[in-house]
Amino acid sequence: MNDPTASTVAFKPGERNVFFHILTACNLSCRHCYINPEQHGAGSVSRQTMEQWLTLFADSTQAGNLVFLGGEPTLHPDLAHGIRFARKLGYRSVTVDSNGFLFHDFLDRVGPDELEFLSFSLDGPTAEVNDPLRGRGTFAVCTANLKRARQKGFRTSLIYTANRLNLAICGPCPSC
């Protein structure tokens, strides 16, 4: 399950990697978000559909890695169930990519032994860089929940979407 030497989510050749968008809803309106409600809808998968899709993509002959995505996946009330169901099906690793708000008491409903990683999205090393992209106060909430997750024993990783606005902090460079 958890490899203490791994520093981030790692996929290997010959493994099955499933990126499962369980809903498109999100509490943020990030400037660079690729989710478009007009194109992608505004719904979420039901518990039954979640189980059906997880079963469909499970393969006992091949190691499987699962990443729950959204929108914001912790907004889905059945995410904890989906994580446990995936483990029962034999997925080798389960990761949740979150914006860090961690809805539905996520850290109390899921244990560190159930996830390979809990990945947090930040788009800057400070609130001054991150918040103009993700929304006022998001840096503080995300980093506080990241610290809570680490204190509870979760293995964490960061997701950083590079763009002209947050790369500009590196100073003048030809590509920014």
Side-chain angles (χ1 to χ4, degrees), residues 40-149:
H40 301 109
S44 64
V45 299
S46 67
R47 179 186 280 225
Q48 179 184 4
T49 300
M50 185 184 302
E51 289 178 357
Q52 290 170 338
W53 280 97
L54 289 172
T55 301
L56 177 68
F57 287 106
D59 183 348
S60 62
T61 66
Q62 190 177 34
N65 304 297
L66 173 65
V67 179
F68 282 105
L69 306 158
E72 170 51 34
T74 66
L75 282 169
H76 198 295
D78 292 321
L79 176 59
H81 171 77
I83 291 166
R84 291 183 186 103
F85 190 80
R87 286 293 190 192
K88 285 180 188 173
L89 290 172
Y91 283 87
R92 183 185 65 79
S93 73
V94 178
T95 296
V96 172
D97 285 359
S98 173
N99 65 27
F101 277 72
L102 305 179
F103 294 94
H104 298 291
D105 300 316
F106 185 76
L107 293 178
D108 296 325
R109 294 182 62 212
V110 174
D113 59 326
E114 296 177 283
L115 288 179
E116 193 69 20
F117 284 98
L118 179 54
S119 294
F120 290 80
S121 292
L122 280 174
D123 291 322
T126 64
E128 292 75 26
V129 177
N130 181 83
D131 288 4
L133 296 168
R134 294 192 158 262
R136 187 176 185 174
T138 58
F139 184 85
V141 171
C142 185
T143 55
N145 281 332
L146 189 147
K147 288 175 187 173
R148 277 187 54 227

